[in-house]
Amino acid sequence: MDQDGSPRLADASDAAEVGRLLHDFNTEFDTPSPGPDVLSRRLATHLAGDSMFAILAGSPAFAVALVSIRPNVWYPGRVGLLDELYVSPDRRGMGTGGAILEAVSAPDNPGS
């Protein structure tokens, strides 16, 4: 994968890109979305805290993973649960999803 597509940890300043991709995901599969602006506002809060993180690929981003961090009955502590994984249709089949999943499970991510 080229350098432009390398996964990176998103922060609150990336909320608009994350929101756009999540909206695109829902739109592609005919699922309701509150729209990228609403998602962006919500994500700005969540990504600034410790209850959620996102991994993006590309600039501008063409892929995203969104992970919630929360307590879980099956583990004595907090766990990361993959909420969303989306790669734009024109970038599928190039290993981006796998690279993002590796980044999600990296020991230095916020869920560790």
Side-chain angles (χ1 to χ4, degrees):
M1 186 179 314
D2 60 24
Q3 184 63 26
D4 186 49
S6 296
R8 64 180 176 82
L9 182 64
D11 61 32
S13 69
D14 295 305
E17 279 195 290
V18 175
R20 173 185 54 82
L21 287 166
L22 294 177
H23 174 77
D24 290 350
F25 186 12
N26 281 26
T27 300
E28 180 180 342
F29 292 97
D30 296 322
T31 303
S33 167
D37 293 336
V38 171
L39 292 169
S40 176
R41 286 192 301 273
R42 291 175 184 170
L43 286 159
T45 300
H46 289 302
L47 295 176
D50 64 355
S51 65
M52 187 174 289
F53 71 93
I55 303 290
L56 290 170
S59 182
F62 56 83
V64 64
L66 186 65
V67 178
S68 294
I69 308 297
R70 56 185 180 236
N72 186 285
V73 68
W74 301 112
Y75 183 77
R78 296 169 10 117
V79 298
L81 298 173
L82 181 64
D83 292 320
E84 308 286 349
L85 175 62
Y86 179 69
V87 179
S88 297
D90 62 329
R91 300 300 291 252
R92 293 180 186 156
M94 300 178 189
T96 303
I100 285 180
L101 288 175
E102 284 184 33
V104 164
S105 61
D108 61 344
N109 74 34
S112 298

